[in-house]
Amino acid sequence: MKARLLSFLEDVRDSYWIVPALMALGAMIGAHFLLEFDRGNGADWARNQSFIWSGGSEGARGVLGTIAGSGITVAGVVFSTTITSLTLASSQFGPRLLRNFVRDRANQFVLGVFTATFLFCILVLRSIRSADENFFVPYLCVTVALGLAVGSIGTLIFFHPSRRRFDSNRKRRGANGARVDSRDRAQSARKNRRRQTAKIARRKWRAAARF
């Protein structure tokens, strides 16, 4: 039982989706509580706060739809191209490169931020009501969505997988350099053996010529 539990925990640790799934769950819970807060406090408090977004229902739909669409598009393109390039690289340099990328918590965190932002915006978007539909705009939720959008851009800049690809490329260049050095050492060793063999052959020939 203990071995099975340890094996399960190891599989969870190696899973690429555990951190994004937890962050998506956190986004769902956060959206629920923030929506309840907006429903309970109305619109007057938001209009009196300078840092709270205070637009209309159409503006809120536009903002949330833009953030959700652009976020999931960027995440899909970035990570699909990254996985493709790493798959091609791992075919030449072994599967450890792809395994290290999958197990990297920073990469999982980046995907989790984009996934959580997309899910949060979708959940908030469905709650907006216009004037003829019992008017409701979750001002605090829209403000949080804008903050998540800024955070997503920040994670894309500072934790982009290309930085790790650069590191892996640098490691591959180091590995290639080590291979070249070992090949050069092997060639020089063969040349030395040939020289030694030639010297021994000349000595034997001179000794035989004396007799």
Side-chain angles (χ1 to χ4, degrees):
M1 184 64 182
K2 183 178 179 180
R4 188 175 300 176
L5 179 60
L6 292 176
S7 177
F8 174 75
L9 293 177
E10 184 69 18
D11 293 338
V12 169
R13 189 177 69 87
D14 293 341
S15 175
Y16 185 60
W17 301 104
I18 183 64
V19 173
L22 292 175
M23 295 181 70
L25 180 61
M28 295 173 62
I29 297 173
H32 172 74
F33 284 105
L34 289 176
L35 284 172
E36 292 298 324
F37 179 85
D38 277 320
R39 289 191 181 97
N41 290 273
D44 294 335
W45 77 275
R47 292 168 182 169
N48 295 327
Q49 304 294 331
S50 59
F51 62 93
I52 298 295
W53 187 88
S54 58
S57 59
E58 293 300 325
R61 287 194 180 102
V63 170
L64 293 174
T66 301
I67 295 174
S70 59
I72 201 65
T73 300
V74 170
V77 171
V78 168
F79 281 90
S80 61
T81 55
T82 301
I83 292 295
T84 301
S85 62
L86 286 174
T87 302
L88 295 175
S90 64
S91 64
Q92 297 180 359
F93 301 98
R96 185 182 296 273
L97 188 65
L98 184 59
R99 190 182 304 117
N100 290 339
F101 173 82
V102 171
R103 298 180 65 176
D104 192 349
R105 293 300 185 196
N107 295 326
Q108 296 175 13
F109 177 77
V110 174
L111 181 60
V113 168
F114 280 99
T115 304
T117 301
F118 169 77
L119 188 58
F120 182 87
C121 292
I122 291 298
L123 292 176
V124 175
L125 185 61
R126 61 185 291 272
S127 68
I128 298 176
R129 298 290 184 270
S130 57
D132 56 346
E133 299 174 334
N134 193 9
F135 182 81
F136 173 71
V137 176
Y139 298 103
L140 180 60
C141 291
V142 177
T143 305
V144 172
L146 291 172
L148 289 175
V150 175
S152 299
I153 297 174
T155 56
L156 184 63
I157 293 173
F158 292 105
F159 296 101
H160 191 276
S162 62
R163 178 167 59 88
R164 282 159 180 80
R165 286 204 304 273
F166 173 78
D167 293 339
S168 63
N169 290 334
R170 184 172 58 188
K171 293 177 182 178
R172 289 200 300 270
R173 288 196 297 268
N176 291 335
R179 292 175 184 173
V180 171
D181 292 341
S182 62
R183 187 166 57 248
D184 292 340
R185 287 195 297 269
Q187 290 177 355
S188 67
R190 285 195 295 270
K191 290 180 181 179
N192 291 332
R193 286 196 296 269
R194 290 172 185 172
R195 291 173 183 173
Q196 294 294 332
T197 303
K199 288 180 181 180
I200 294 173
R202 284 196 298 268
R203 289 174 184 175
K204 290 182 179 179
W205 181 81
R206 290 173 183 173
R210 291 176 183 175
F211 293 103

mmCIF file of all heavy atoms in Angstrom, residues 14-61:
data_model
loop_
_atom_site.group_PDB
_atom_site.id
_atom_site.type_symbol
_atom_site.label_atom_id
_atom_site.label_comp_id
_atom_site.label_asym_id
_atom_site.label_seq_id
_atom_site.Cartn_x
_atom_site.Cartn_y
_atom_site.Cartn_z
ATOM 1 N N ASP A 14 5.529 14.079 -11.437
ATOM 2 C CA ASP A 14 6.030 14.114 -12.805
ATOM 3 C C ASP A 14 4.984 14.593 -13.807
ATOM 4 O O ASP A 14 5.309 14.810 -14.973
ATOM 5 C CB ASP A 14 6.525 12.724 -13.225
ATOM 6 C CG ASP A 14 7.751 12.292 -12.440
ATOM 7 O OD1 ASP A 14 8.414 13.170 -11.859
ATOM 8 O OD2 ASP A 14 8.037 11.080 -12.397
ATOM 9 N N SER A 15 3.733 14.710 -13.371
ATOM 10 C CA SER A 15 2.674 15.105 -14.297
ATOM 11 C C SER A 15 2.820 16.572 -14.682
ATOM 12 O O SER A 15 3.102 17.431 -13.846
ATOM 13 C CB SER A 15 1.297 14.866 -13.666
ATOM 14 O OG SER A 15 0.275 15.346 -14.515
ATOM 15 N N TYR A 16 2.616 16.848 -15.968
ATOM 16 C CA TYR A 16 2.728 18.214 -16.465
ATOM 17 C C TYR A 16 1.487 19.040 -16.138
ATOM 18 O O TYR A 16 1.547 20.262 -16.134
ATOM 19 C CB TYR A 16 2.940 18.171 -17.983
ATOM 20 C CG TYR A 16 3.180 19.523 -18.614
ATOM 21 C CD1 TYR A 16 4.264 20.304 -18.232
ATOM 22 C CD2 TYR A 16 2.326 20.014 -19.584
ATOM 23 C CE1 TYR A 16 4.492 21.541 -18.805
ATOM 24 C CE2 TYR A 16 2.547 21.245 -20.169
ATOM 25 C CZ TYR A 16 3.633 22.002 -19.779
ATOM 26 O OH TYR A 16 3.850 23.223 -20.354
ATOM 27 N N TRP A 17 0.377 18.380 -15.823
ATOM 28 C CA TRP A 17 -0.899 19.070 -15.699
ATOM 29 C C TRP A 17 -1.330 19.310 -14.255
ATOM 30 O O TRP A 17 -2.362 19.934 -14.032
ATOM 31 C CB TRP A 17 -1.990 18.264 -16.413
ATOM 32 C CG TRP A 17 -1.692 18.067 -17.846
ATOM 33 C CD1 TRP A 17 -1.241 16.924 -18.448
ATOM 34 C CD2 TRP A 17 -1.774 19.039 -18.887
ATOM 35 N NE1 TRP A 17 -1.046 17.123 -19.785
ATOM 36 C CE2 TRP A 17 -1.373 18.412 -20.082
ATOM 37 C CE3 TRP A 17 -2.170 20.380 -18.916
ATOM 38 C CZ2 TRP A 17 -1.343 19.089 -21.298
ATOM 39 C CZ3 TRP A 17 -2.130 21.054 -20.131
ATOM 40 C CH2 TRP A 17 -1.729 20.407 -21.295
ATOM 41 N N ILE A 18 -0.577 18.834 -13.271
ATOM 42 C CA ILE A 18 -1.039 18.950 -11.893
ATOM 43 C C ILE A 18 -1.065 20.414 -11.448
ATOM 44 O O ILE A 18 -2.045 20.884 -10.846
ATOM 45 C CB ILE A 18 -0.170 18.091 -10.945
ATOM 46 C CG1 ILE A 18 -0.712 18.157 -9.524
ATOM 47 C CG2 ILE A 18 1.290 18.491 -11.015
ATOM 48 C CD1 ILE A 18 -2.086 17.576 -9.372
ATOM 49 N N VAL A 19 -0.022 21.181 -11.741
ATOM 50 C CA VAL A 19 0.003 22.592 -11.343
ATOM 51 C C VAL A 19 -1.033 23.412 -12.112
ATOM 52 O O VAL A 19 -1.795 24.180 -11.505
ATOM 53 C CB VAL A 19 1.422 23.174 -11.509
ATOM 54 C CG1 VAL A 19 1.422 24.682 -11.266
ATOM 55 C CG2 VAL A 19 2.385 22.504 -10.541
ATOM 56 N N PRO A 20 -1.137 23.275 -13.458
ATOM 57 C CA PRO A 20 -2.214 24.004 -14.151
ATOM 58 C C PRO A 20 -3.612 23.617 -13.666
ATOM 59 O O PRO A 20 -4.499 24.476 -13.588
ATOM 60 C CB PRO A 20 -2.008 23.607 -15.623
ATOM 61 C CG PRO A 20 -0.563 23.279 -15.726
ATOM 62 C CD PRO A 20 -0.220 22.645 -14.419
ATOM 63 N N ALA A 21 -3.817 22.329 -13.332
ATOM 64 C CA ALA A 21 -5.138 21.915 -12.850
ATOM 65 C C ALA A 21 -5.455 22.551 -11.504
ATOM 66 O O ALA A 21 -6.587 23.017 -11.272
ATOM 67 C CB ALA A 21 -5.195 20.390 -12.741
ATOM 68 N N LEU A 22 -4.486 22.601 -10.608
ATOM 69 C CA LEU A 22 -4.709 23.237 -9.312
ATOM 70 C C LEU A 22 -4.964 24.738 -9.461
ATOM 71 O O LEU A 22 -5.821 25.312 -8.767
ATOM 72 C CB LEU A 22 -3.511 22.994 -8.399
ATOM 73 C CG LEU A 22 -3.298 21.543 -7.940
ATOM 74 C CD1 LEU A 22 -2.011 21.425 -7.131
ATOM 75 C CD2 LEU A 22 -4.490 21.070 -7.116
ATOM 76 N N MET A 23 -4.242 25.388 -10.363
ATOM 77 C CA MET A 23 -4.448 26.809 -10.571
ATOM 78 C C MET A 23 -5.803 27.072 -11.225
ATOM 79 O O MET A 23 -6.467 28.078 -10.920
ATOM 80 C CB MET A 23 -3.316 27.375 -11.422
ATOM 81 C CG MET A 23 -1.954 27.324 -10.748
ATOM 82 S SD MET A 23 -0.610 28.022 -11.725
ATOM 83 C CE MET A 23 -1.028 29.761 -11.685
ATOM 84 N N ALA A 24 -6.235 26.182 -12.127
ATOM 85 C CA ALA A 24 -7.565 26.322 -12.722
ATOM 86 C C ALA A 24 -8.651 26.159 -11.668
ATOM 87 O O ALA A 24 -9.653 26.894 -11.652
ATOM 88 C CB ALA A 24 -7.742 25.308 -13.837
ATOM 89 N N LEU A 25 -8.462 25.203 -10.753
ATOM 90 C CA LEU A 25 -9.409 25.033 -9.656
ATOM 91 C C LEU A 25 -9.451 26.264 -8.768
ATOM 92 O O LEU A 25 -10.526 26.718 -8.338
ATOM 93 C CB LEU A 25 -9.032 23.800 -8.842
ATOM 94 C CG LEU A 25 -9.921 23.467 -7.644
ATOM 95 C CD1 LEU A 25 -11.352 23.193 -8.101
ATOM 96 C CD2 LEU A 25 -9.362 22.274 -6.872
ATOM 97 N N GLY A 26 -8.279 26.844 -8.505
ATOM 98 C CA GLY A 26 -8.241 28.080 -7.728
ATOM 99 C C GLY A 26 -8.951 29.227 -8.425
ATOM 100 O O GLY A 26 -9.607 30.052 -7.772
ATOM 101 N N ALA A 27 -8.838 29.284 -9.764
ATOM 102 C CA ALA A 27 -9.539 30.326 -10.521
ATOM 103 C C ALA A 27 -11.050 30.154 -10.420
ATOM 104 O O ALA A 27 -11.796 31.140 -10.300
ATOM 105 C CB ALA A 27 -9.089 30.293 -11.981
ATOM 106 N N MET A 28 -11.521 28.922 -10.463
ATOM 107 C CA MET A 28 -12.955 28.667 -10.332
ATOM 108 C C MET A 28 -13.469 29.089 -8.960
ATOM 109 O O MET A 28 -14.505 29.764 -8.845
ATOM 110 C CB MET A 28 -13.240 27.188 -10.575
ATOM 111 C CG MET A 28 -12.938 26.716 -11.978
ATOM 112 S SD MET A 28 -13.086 24.927 -12.157
ATOM 113 C CE MET A 28 -14.825 24.704 -11.779
ATOM 114 N N ILE A 29 -12.734 28.726 -7.919
ATOM 115 C CA ILE A 29 -13.147 29.095 -6.565
ATOM 116 C C ILE A 29 -13.098 30.616 -6.382
ATOM 117 O O ILE A 29 -14.010 31.233 -5.808
ATOM 118 C CB ILE A 29 -12.265 28.380 -5.529
ATOM 119 C CG1 ILE A 29 -12.446 26.865 -5.636
ATOM 120 C CG2 ILE A 29 -12.589 28.860 -4.122
ATOM 121 C CD1 ILE A 29 -11.505 26.070 -4.771
ATOM 122 N N GLY A 30 -12.023 31.235 -6.875
ATOM 123 C CA GLY A 30 -11.908 32.682 -6.758
ATOM 124 C C GLY A 30 -13.000 33.420 -7.502
ATOM 125 O O GLY A 30 -13.538 34.415 -7.006
ATOM 126 N N ALA A 31 -13.345 32.933 -8.700
ATOM 127 C CA ALA A 31 -14.424 33.568 -9.459
ATOM 128 C C ALA A 31 -15.748 33.472 -8.717
ATOM 129 O O ALA A 31 -16.531 34.440 -8.691
ATOM 130 C CB ALA A 31 -14.534 32.909 -10.841
ATOM 131 N N HIS A 32 -16.006 32.342 -8.081
ATOM 132 C CA HIS A 32 -17.262 32.177 -7.345
ATOM 133 C C HIS A 32 -17.365 33.182 -6.192
ATOM 134 O O HIS A 32 -18.386 33.887 -6.053
ATOM 135 C CB HIS A 32 -17.355 30.751 -6.807
ATOM 136 C CG HIS A 32 -18.509 30.530 -5.885
ATOM 137 N ND1 HIS A 32 -19.813 30.440 -6.324
ATOM 138 C CD2 HIS A 32 -18.556 30.396 -4.523
ATOM 139 C CE1 HIS A 32 -20.609 30.261 -5.298
ATOM 140 N NE2 HIS A 32 -19.879 30.226 -4.190
ATOM 141 N N PHE A 33 -16.322 33.299 -5.397
ATOM 142 C CA PHE A 33 -16.382 34.183 -4.232
ATOM 143 C C PHE A 33 -16.378 35.660 -4.643
ATOM 144 O O PHE A 33 -17.056 36.490 -4.014
ATOM 145 C CB PHE A 33 -15.226 33.885 -3.285
ATOM 146 C CG PHE A 33 -15.419 32.643 -2.474
ATOM 147 C CD1 PHE A 33 -14.729 31.483 -2.776
ATOM 148 C CD2 PHE A 33 -16.309 32.621 -1.408
ATOM 149 C CE1 PHE A 33 -14.911 30.321 -2.031
ATOM 150 C CE2 PHE A 33 -16.501 31.466 -0.653
ATOM 151 C CZ PHE A 33 -15.803 30.313 -0.967
ATOM 152 N N LEU A 34 -15.633 36.006 -5.684
ATOM 153 C CA LEU A 34 -15.617 37.397 -6.122
ATOM 154 C C LEU A 34 -16.959 37.802 -6.727
ATOM 155 O O LEU A 34 -17.405 38.948 -6.556
ATOM 156 C CB LEU A 34 -14.488 37.603 -7.138
ATOM 157 C CG LEU A 34 -13.069 37.559 -6.562
ATOM 158 C CD1 LEU A 34 -12.036 37.681 -7.675
ATOM 159 C CD2 LEU A 34 -12.861 38.659 -5.528
ATOM 160 N N LEU A 35 -17.593 36.867 -7.437
ATOM 161 C CA LEU A 35 -18.930 37.174 -7.967
ATOM 162 C C LEU A 35 -19.934 37.386 -6.835
ATOM 163 O O LEU A 35 -20.796 38.287 -6.912
ATOM 164 C CB LEU A 35 -19.392 36.045 -8.887
ATOM 165 C CG LEU A 35 -18.755 36.000 -10.276
ATOM 166 C CD1 LEU A 35 -19.154 34.730 -11.015
ATOM 167 C CD2 LEU A 35 -19.160 37.236 -11.087
ATOM 168 N N GLU A 36 -19.838 36.567 -5.797
ATOM 169 C CA GLU A 36 -20.718 36.758 -4.648
ATOM 170 C C GLU A 36 -20.465 38.102 -3.979
ATOM 171 O O GLU A 36 -21.400 38.775 -3.536
ATOM 172 C CB GLU A 36 -20.521 35.614 -3.650
ATOM 173 C CG GLU A 36 -21.011 34.265 -4.143
ATOM 174 C CD GLU A 36 -22.510 34.275 -4.406
ATOM 175 O OE1 GLU A 36 -23.251 34.955 -3.655
ATOM 176 O OE2 GLU A 36 -22.948 33.618 -5.373
ATOM 177 N N PHE A 37 -19.211 38.504 -3.921
ATOM 178 C CA PHE A 37 -18.886 39.813 -3.341
ATOM 179 C C PHE A 37 -19.487 40.935 -4.179
ATOM 180 O O PHE A 37 -20.049 41.910 -3.644
ATOM 181 C CB PHE A 37 -17.367 39.979 -3.245
ATOM 182 C CG PHE A 37 -16.934 41.299 -2.686
ATOM 183 C CD1 PHE A 37 -16.841 41.489 -1.320
ATOM 184 C CD2 PHE A 37 -16.622 42.361 -3.532
ATOM 185 C CE1 PHE A 37 -16.453 42.711 -0.792
ATOM 186 C CE2 PHE A 37 -16.228 43.581 -3.018
ATOM 187 C CZ PHE A 37 -16.133 43.755 -1.652
ATOM 188 N N ASP A 38 -19.375 40.835 -5.514
ATOM 189 C CA ASP A 38 -19.941 41.870 -6.388
ATOM 190 C C ASP A 38 -21.456 41.918 -6.279
ATOM 191 O O ASP A 38 -22.055 43.008 -6.294
ATOM 192 C CB ASP A 38 -19.523 41.604 -7.840
ATOM 193 C CG ASP A 38 -18.142 42.144 -8.161
ATOM 194 O OD1 ASP A 38 -17.822 43.241 -7.696
ATOM 195 O OD2 ASP A 38 -17.372 41.453 -8.857
ATOM 196 N N ARG A 39 -22.080 40.756 -6.182
ATOM 197 C CA ARG A 39 -23.545 40.743 -6.046
ATOM 198 C C ARG A 39 -23.999 41.357 -4.726
ATOM 199 O O ARG A 39 -25.041 42.002 -4.646
ATOM 200 C CB ARG A 39 -24.056 39.311 -6.164
ATOM 201 C CG ARG A 39 -23.959 38.716 -7.552
ATOM 202 C CD ARG A 39 -24.727 37.412 -7.649
ATOM 203 N NE ARG A 39 -24.633 36.808 -8.968
ATOM 204 C CZ ARG A 39 -23.782 35.845 -9.300
ATOM 205 N NH1 ARG A 39 -22.952 35.365 -8.382
ATOM 206 N NH2 ARG A 39 -23.750 35.369 -10.533
ATOM 207 N N GLY A 40 -23.229 41.130 -3.691
ATOM 208 C CA GLY A 40 -23.627 41.620 -2.375
ATOM 209 C C GLY A 40 -23.382 43.101 -2.176
ATOM 210 O O GLY A 40 -24.059 43.738 -1.346
ATOM 211 N N ASN A 41 -22.440 43.699 -2.910
ATOM 212 C CA ASN A 41 -22.089 45.096 -2.678
ATOM 213 C C ASN A 41 -22.628 46.048 -3.730
ATOM 214 O O ASN A 41 -22.571 47.267 -3.539
ATOM 215 C CB ASN A 41 -20.561 45.240 -2.617
ATOM 216 C CG ASN A 41 -19.976 44.628 -1.369
ATOM 217 O OD1 ASN A 41 -19.878 45.268 -0.331
ATOM 218 N ND2 ASN A 41 -19.580 43.363 -1.463
ATOM 219 N N GLY A 42 -23.133 45.544 -4.842
ATOM 220 C CA GLY A 42 -23.711 46.414 -5.849
ATOM 221 C C GLY A 42 -22.668 47.204 -6.618
ATOM 222 O O GLY A 42 -21.469 46.906 -6.587
ATOM 223 N N ALA A 43 -23.129 48.265 -7.299
ATOM 224 C CA ALA A 43 -22.248 49.036 -8.180
ATOM 225 C C ALA A 43 -21.758 50.334 -7.560
ATOM 226 O O ALA A 43 -20.787 50.919 -8.036
ATOM 227 C CB ALA A 43 -22.975 49.333 -9.494
ATOM 228 N N ASP A 44 -22.398 50.821 -6.510
ATOM 229 C CA ASP A 44 -22.035 52.121 -5.952
ATOM 230 C C ASP A 44 -20.620 52.129 -5.382
ATOM 231 O O ASP A 44 -19.874 53.097 -5.565
ATOM 232 C CB ASP A 44 -23.037 52.523 -4.870
ATOM 233 C CG ASP A 44 -24.429 52.761 -5.454
ATOM 234 O OD1 ASP A 44 -24.512 53.083 -6.662
ATOM 235 O OD2 ASP A 44 -25.418 52.606 -4.705
ATOM 236 N N TRP A 45 -20.250 51.070 -4.696
ATOM 237 C CA TRP A 45 -18.930 51.051 -4.077
ATOM 238 C C TRP A 45 -17.831 51.054 -5.133
ATOM 239 O O TRP A 45 -16.761 51.664 -4.934
ATOM 240 C CB TRP A 45 -18.785 49.814 -3.181
ATOM 241 C CG TRP A 45 -18.549 48.545 -3.950
ATOM 242 C CD1 TRP A 45 -19.475 47.738 -4.496
ATOM 243 C CD2 TRP A 45 -17.278 47.994 -4.267
ATOM 244 N NE1 TRP A 45 -18.876 46.678 -5.143
ATOM 245 C CE2 TRP A 45 -17.534 46.807 -5.017
ATOM 246 C CE3 TRP A 45 -15.961 48.343 -4.003
ATOM 247 C CZ2 TRP A 45 -16.502 46.002 -5.503
ATOM 248 C CZ3 TRP A 45 -14.932 47.544 -4.476
ATOM 249 C CH2 TRP A 45 -15.209 46.387 -5.220
ATOM 250 N N ALA A 46 -18.069 50.359 -6.259
ATOM 251 C CA ALA A 46 -17.048 50.280 -7.306
ATOM 252 C C ALA A 46 -16.843 51.636 -7.973
ATOM 253 O O ALA A 46 -15.712 52.004 -8.320
ATOM 254 C CB ALA A 46 -17.448 49.235 -8.339
ATOM 255 N N ARG A 47 -17.906 52.400 -8.157
ATOM 256 C CA ARG A 47 -17.787 53.687 -8.815
ATOM 257 C C ARG A 47 -17.081 54.711 -7.937
ATOM 258 O O ARG A 47 -16.596 55.737 -8.426
ATOM 259 C CB ARG A 47 -19.176 54.192 -9.203
ATOM 260 C CG ARG A 47 -19.818 53.354 -10.311
ATOM 261 C CD ARG A 47 -21.268 53.650 -10.489
ATOM 262 N NE ARG A 47 -21.870 52.789 -11.521
ATOM 263 C CZ ARG A 47 -23.149 52.683 -11.746
ATOM 264 N NH1 ARG A 47 -24.020 53.379 -10.990
ATOM 265 N NH2 ARG A 47 -23.608 51.886 -12.697
ATOM 266 N N ASN A 48 -17.021 54.471 -6.650
ATOM 267 C CA ASN A 48 -16.330 55.375 -5.741
ATOM 268 C C ASN A 48 -14.856 55.019 -5.558
ATOM 269 O O ASN A 48 -14.138 55.729 -4.849
ATOM 270 C CB ASN A 48 -17.018 55.381 -4.370
ATOM 271 C CG ASN A 48 -18.432 55.940 -4.448
ATOM 272 O OD1 ASN A 48 -18.716 56.826 -5.247
ATOM 273 N ND2 ASN A 48 -19.317 55.413 -3.604
ATOM 274 N N GLN A 49 -14.407 53.920 -6.167
ATOM 275 C CA GLN A 49 -13.015 53.485 -6.055
ATOM 276 C C GLN A 49 -12.300 53.773 -7.367
ATOM 277 O O GLN A 49 -12.745 53.360 -8.432
ATOM 278 C CB GLN A 49 -12.934 51.984 -5.733
ATOM 279 C CG GLN A 49 -13.684 51.563 -4.492
ATOM 280 C CD GLN A 49 -13.095 52.131 -3.236
ATOM 281 O OE1 GLN A 49 -11.896 52.382 -3.151
ATOM 282 N NE2 GLN A 49 -13.932 52.356 -2.224
ATOM 283 N N SER A 50 -11.174 54.469 -7.268
ATOM 284 C CA SER A 50 -10.456 54.854 -8.487
ATOM 285 C C SER A 50 -9.769 53.673 -9.173
ATOM 286 O O SER A 50 -9.556 53.703 -10.387
ATOM 287 C CB SER A 50 -9.409 55.922 -8.151
ATOM 288 O OG SER A 50 -8.481 55.430 -7.185
ATOM 289 N N PHE A 51 -9.415 52.651 -8.417
ATOM 290 C CA PHE A 51 -8.666 51.536 -9.002
ATOM 291 C C PHE A 51 -9.579 50.416 -9.499
ATOM 292 O O PHE A 51 -9.076 49.434 -10.067
ATOM 293 C CB PHE A 51 -7.688 50.964 -7.967
ATOM 294 C CG PHE A 51 -8.351 50.399 -6.740
ATOM 295 C CD1 PHE A 51 -8.679 49.056 -6.675
ATOM 296 C CD2 PHE A 51 -8.644 51.210 -5.654
ATOM 297 C CE1 PHE A 51 -9.288 48.534 -5.553
ATOM 298 C CE2 PHE A 51 -9.258 50.694 -4.531
ATOM 299 C CZ PHE A 51 -9.578 49.351 -4.474
ATOM 300 N N ILE A 52 -10.878 50.536 -9.313
ATOM 301 C CA ILE A 52 -11.823 49.506 -9.754
ATOM 302 C C ILE A 52 -12.380 49.880 -11.126
ATOM 303 O O ILE A 52 -12.785 51.028 -11.350
ATOM 304 C CB ILE A 52 -12.968 49.333 -8.742
ATOM 305 C CG1 ILE A 52 -12.412 48.864 -7.394
ATOM 306 C CG2 ILE A 52 -13.995 48.336 -9.258
ATOM 307 C CD1 ILE A 52 -11.791 47.483 -7.420
ATOM 308 N N TRP A 53 -12.389 48.901 -12.017
ATOM 309 C CA TRP A 53 -12.973 49.127 -13.343
ATOM 310 C C TRP A 53 -14.470 49.386 -13.189
ATOM 311 O O TRP A 53 -15.170 48.673 -12.481
ATOM 312 C CB TRP A 53 -12.728 47.890 -14.196
ATOM 313 C CG TRP A 53 -13.131 48.054 -15.628
ATOM 314 C CD1 TRP A 53 -12.371 48.533 -16.655
ATOM 315 C CD2 TRP A 53 -14.400 47.729 -16.197
ATOM 316 N NE1 TRP A 53 -13.083 48.533 -17.816
ATOM 317 C CE2 TRP A 53 -14.331 48.040 -17.576
ATOM 318 C CE3 TRP A 53 -15.595 47.215 -15.686
ATOM 319 C CZ2 TRP A 53 -15.403 47.847 -18.435
ATOM 320 C CZ3 TRP A 53 -16.665 47.021 -16.536
ATOM 321 C CH2 TRP A 53 -16.569 47.339 -17.904
ATOM 322 N N SER A 54 -14.984 50.419 -13.897
ATOM 323 C CA SER A 54 -16.376 50.821 -13.684
ATOM 324 C C SER A 54 -17.107 51.088 -14.995
ATOM 325 O O SER A 54 -17.862 52.052 -15.099
ATOM 326 C CB SER A 54 -16.440 52.063 -12.792
ATOM 327 O OG SER A 54 -15.707 53.125 -13.386
ATOM 328 N N GLY A 55 -16.885 50.241 -15.996
ATOM 329 C CA GLY A 55 -17.562 50.401 -17.268
ATOM 330 C C GLY A 55 -18.923 49.729 -17.277
ATOM 331 O O GLY A 55 -19.425 49.246 -16.253
ATOM 332 N N GLY A 56 -19.525 49.665 -18.455
ATOM 333 C CA GLY A 56 -20.829 49.048 -18.597
ATOM 334 C C GLY A 56 -20.745 47.572 -18.907
ATOM 335 O O GLY A 56 -19.660 46.958 -18.928
ATOM 336 N N SER A 57 -21.906 46.983 -19.165
ATOM 337 C CA SER A 57 -21.960 45.544 -19.413
ATOM 338 C C SER A 57 -21.290 45.169 -20.727
ATOM 339 O O SER A 57 -20.569 44.160 -20.799
ATOM 340 C CB SER A 57 -23.418 45.071 -19.410
ATOM 341 O OG SER A 57 -24.169 45.756 -20.412
ATOM 342 N N GLU A 58 -21.500 45.978 -21.780
ATOM 343 C CA GLU A 58 -20.876 45.671 -23.070
ATOM 344 C C GLU A 58 -19.360 45.808 -22.988
ATOM 345 O O GLU A 58 -18.618 45.012 -23.574
ATOM 346 C CB GLU A 58 -21.437 46.595 -24.149
ATOM 347 C CG GLU A 58 -22.906 46.363 -24.457
ATOM 348 C CD GLU A 58 -23.160 44.944 -24.935
ATOM 349 O OE1 GLU A 58 -22.296 44.384 -25.640
ATOM 350 O OE2 GLU A 58 -24.231 44.391 -24.597
ATOM 351 N N GLY A 59 -18.919 46.822 -22.272
ATOM 352 C CA GLY A 59 -17.479 46.974 -22.089
ATOM 353 C C GLY A 59 -16.873 45.821 -21.310
ATOM 354 O O GLY A 59 -15.781 45.334 -21.629
ATOM 355 N N ALA A 60 -17.579 45.352 -20.278
ATOM 356 C CA ALA A 60 -17.081 44.215 -19.499
ATOM 357 C C ALA A 60 -17.007 42.952 -20.354
ATOM 358 O O ALA A 60 -16.041 42.194 -20.274
ATOM 359 C CB ALA A 60 -17.985 43.982 -18.294
ATOM 360 N N ARG A 61 -18.025 42.731 -21.192
ATOM 361 C CA ARG A 61 -17.997 41.571 -22.087
ATOM 362 C C ARG A 61 -16.822 41.661 -23.059
ATOM 363 O O ARG A 61 -16.144 40.660 -23.330
ATOM 364 C CB ARG A 61 -19.314 41.479 -22.847
ATOM 365 C CG ARG A 61 -20.504 41.016 -22.021
ATOM 366 C CD ARG A 61 -21.668 40.635 -22.921
ATOM 367 N NE ARG A 61 -22.822 40.192 -22.148
ATOM 368 C CZ ARG A 61 -23.885 40.930 -21.897
ATOM 369 N NH1 ARG A 61 -23.948 42.175 -22.347
ATOM 370 N NH2 ARG A 61 -24.890 40.444 -21.189
#
